[in-house]
Amino acid sequence: MDAILVTGGSELNGKIPIAGAKNACLTLMPATLLSEEPLTLTNAPRLSDIKTMTTLLESFGSEVSNMQDGKVLTMSSHNLNNLTAEYDIVRKMRASILVLGPLLAREGRAVVSLPGGCAIGARPVDLHLMAMRALGAEIDLHDGYIHANANKGLKGAIIEFPFVSVGATENALLAASLAKGTTVLKNAAREPEIVDLVRCLIAMGAEIGGEGTSTITIQGVDRLHGATHRVVTDRIELGTYMLAPAFTGGEIECLGGKIELLSSFCEKLDECGIVVEQTENGLKVKRSNSGLKAINVETEPFPGFPTDLQAQMMALLCTATGTSILEEKIFENRFMHAPELGRMGAKIDVNGGVATVKGVDQLKGAPVMATDLRASVSLILAGLAAEGETLINRVYHLDRGYERVEEKLSNCGAKIERVRGQ
Ligand code: EPZ
């Protein structure tokens, strides 16, 4: 079953529980490698990427058990018997590169497959390697693998990133927490997932300050102990479902949602005519009576507009009044949803990193193809608003990052089901 069939036209009303953040969990899980004691994560999302990271950690000798239907993960990395992250696993999920820092910090060596690119871009890891070298590791690249050695242990350093990288910031944080001496990360990423990782490392005994700002300081410690940490709410899933009622009419309450996770996104929602109200249980969202207005969007590192919500916003703007301009400044090829939306009648002109969207009255359902995780869900949202049926093929992308999407949307009145693909 690798397709989803959506029949447009139903208003959405109800509550949607927002899961723990995929992009936090994927950097929290490798932290188990830093300690011989168990690390427990609660509020973990049930996603295929989490299963892939579990397989990778188990390949090193970590024991991973999950309870409460996968929402609680307990990982124990008492004895590691393998330090190679195989291509066959890494190619399935690029976040596997995040085991590099912790393996080097714990064992002084690691062999990690280069992740390779993906649909949205080349996705190099040069900043990850720069950070590891700065901490004293020797890095050789051959046979498609990163061969890293730090047999004298890692040493604290000042690491200045030429541009913001979430993953490189995370790898450096994981490695520096056990390095000898002080590490300062300059031009560090400020995403909530970074703050969440730091909170978990501090619970394990790390000494870190400045998280959430561009300068993070880590005082290396000799060892880290076990901890229990609750995964932060997924701001990208939150933003995705906040947009849903703007496509269909009605009102949705996103349980667990907080405005501070998405402040610049919420400013853009207000600008285009979407009303957001913070309740004690989450965020209540509905379309204003004046309808949707065209807006301009530029994706930026946090606290700017998230690149992971660009596709979803583009889908919404296809039926806004006026012409919108979206500039994708993080990834070089993240407009693959545009031609698929075009099949549904959208008027989108792409020129390099800039997409111009001329609003049309109504999208029409059509068979379309998902190309990456966030494009998949933008096509589902477009299908909710379109006239007739939309069949979204290759939705295995979707299952990597959205937990039970049909269930969450059909519980609010959407006509959506999983079917065999074309
Ligand atoms: C993380 O990817 C997220 N993934 C991405 O989410 C997200 O889009 C991205 O951050 C930006 O917010 C996870 O957290 C698992 P970057 P990451 O390093 O760390 C270039 C999703 O849909 N770069 O901040 O890989 C890179 O190519 C995914 O959930 C280098 O050139 O992103 C990109 O153009 C997609 N060299 C830019 O920097 C490097 O060494 C930002 O990438 C590293 C990155």
Side-chain angles (χ1 to χ4, degrees):
M1 299 281 209
D2 65 353
I4 282 187
L5 181 66
V6 178
T7 305
S10 309
E11 201 177 82
L12 293 184
N13 286 290
K15 298 175 191 301
I16 295 183
I18 304 300
K22 165 182 84 83
N23 291 348
C25 204
L26 291 176
T27 190
L28 291 164
M29 291 174 75
T32 178
L33 299 168
L34 294 170
S35 171
E36 297 189 358
E37 297 177 18
L39 172 63
T40 295
L41 298 177
T42 62
N43 194 38
R46 281 82 49 103
L47 301 167
S48 58
D49 270 6
I50 304 306
K51 292 194 176 81
T52 305
M53 182 60 83
T54 297
T55 303
L56 179 60
L57 292 174
E58 289 173 338
S59 75
F60 303 134
S62 300
E63 288 160 23
V64 183
S65 59
N66 74 61
M67 291 167 284
Q68 288 181 32
D69 186 21
K71 288 193 81 166
V72 176
L73 295 175
T74 295
M75 299 161 287
S76 173
S77 304
H78 190 69
N79 295 311
L80 300 182
N81 51 33
N82 164 48
L83 300 176
T84 297
E86 298 291 347
Y87 173 61
D88 193 40
I89 300 177
V90 176
R91 70 184 176 83
K92 291 192 190 99
M93 188 189 59
R94 305 188 61 273
S96 306
I97 187 73
L98 295 173
V99 302
L100 175 64
L103 285 176
L104 266 177
R106 163 86 180 268
E107 298 290 337
R109 63 191 175 84
V111 179
V112 177
S113 168
L114 282 161
C118 75
I120 63 176
R123 310 292 294 275
V125 292
D126 52 320
L127 297 189
H128 296 245
L129 304 184
M130 177 202 83
M132 297 305 117
R133 287 190 172 108
L135 292 168
E138 283 163 33
I139 304 275
D140 286 318
L141 302 183
H142 51 83
D143 313 325
Y145 280 79
I146 300 162
H147 297 262
N149 279 287
N151 37 31
K152 297 195 192 70
L154 296 175
K155 287 186 306 308
I158 295 176
I159 303 172
E160 181 143 15
F161 293 109
F163 50 84
V164 171
S165 162
V166 171
T169 301
E170 291 165 345
N171 240 331
L173 272 168
L174 288 158
S177 52
L178 286 181
K180 288 182 186 56
T182 305
T183 297
V184 179
L185 305 182
K186 294 186 171 181
N187 205 14
R190 299 168 56 191
E191 274 69 4
E193 293 75 36
I194 302 279
V195 173
D196 205 41
L197 173 61
V198 169
R199 287 192 177 135
C200 178
L201 290 171
I202 289 172
M204 294 172 73
E207 292 174 19
I208 304 174
E211 67 277 13
T213 75
S214 303
T215 303
I216 303 177
T217 303
I218 307 104
Q219 187 59 44
V221 294
D222 293 338
R223 60 182 294 281
L224 292 175
H225 50 72
T228 295
H229 176 78
R230 178 183 166 76
V231 179
V232 69
T233 301
D234 192 322
R235 63 195 168 96
I236 305 303
E237 187 192 26
L238 170 62
T240 302
Y241 288 123
M242 287 174 74
L243 286 176
F247 282 84
T248 61
E251 184 175 67
I252 292 284
E253 185 174 20
C254 297
L255 303 178
K258 294 193 183 73
I259 286 189
E260 71 254 23
L261 288 170
L262 281 172
S263 48
S264 59
F265 176 74
C266 290
E267 284 161 22
K268 285 294 174 184
L269 294 189
D270 179 51
E271 203 182 319
C272 80
I274 297 168
V275 180
V276 180
E277 179 201 342
Q278 179 78 63
T279 67
E280 60 187 47
N281 299 317
L283 293 177
K284 250 188 197 162
V285 190
K286 64 181 179 188
R287 192 167 59 191
S288 69
N289 301 330
S290 53
L292 297 172
K293 290 187 285 301
I295 58 169
N296 296 336
V297 171
E298 274 183 28
T299 64
E300 291 174 309
F302 193 88
F305 189 99
T307 175
D308 294 347
L309 285 169
Q310 176 260 108
Q312 299 91 316
M313 181 56 90
M314 181 189 285
L316 180 69
L317 294 171
C318 290
T319 55
T321 304
T323 297
S324 304
I325 295 178
L326 293 99
E327 191 173 359
E328 172 55 60
K329 295 166 71 174
I330 305 288
F331 290 107
E332 65 265 34
N333 186 34
R334 203 170 197 175
F335 285 144
M336 287 168 298
H337 41 282
E340 299 305 311
L341 290 165
R343 288 177 51 76
M344 300 174 73
K347 295 269 177 281
I348 306 169
D349 176 46
V350 171
N351 183 2
V354 178
T356 303
V357 182
K358 281 191 181 58
V360 297
D361 291 342
Q362 171 82 43
L363 294 180
K364 301 270 186 301
V368 290
M369 188 168 74
T371 49
D372 62 87
L373 165 57
R374 308 303 174 181
S376 310
V377 82
S378 71
L379 295 170
I380 288 178
L381 293 173
L384 291 174
E387 195 180 289
E389 291 189 340
T390 300
L391 183 69
I392 299 104
N393 286 292
R394 299 195 184 179
V395 286
Y396 52 82
H397 296 290
L398 196 66
D399 299 333
R400 297 189 48 182
Y402 286 90
E403 189 183 280
R404 307 180 184 177
V405 64
E406 312 96 274
E407 184 184 309
K408 292 187 175 183
L409 285 172
S410 52
N411 286 348
C412 294
K415 290 194 181 62
I416 178 171
E417 57 177 319
R418 199 165 284 244
V419 296
R420 194 162 302 289
Q422 274 179 348

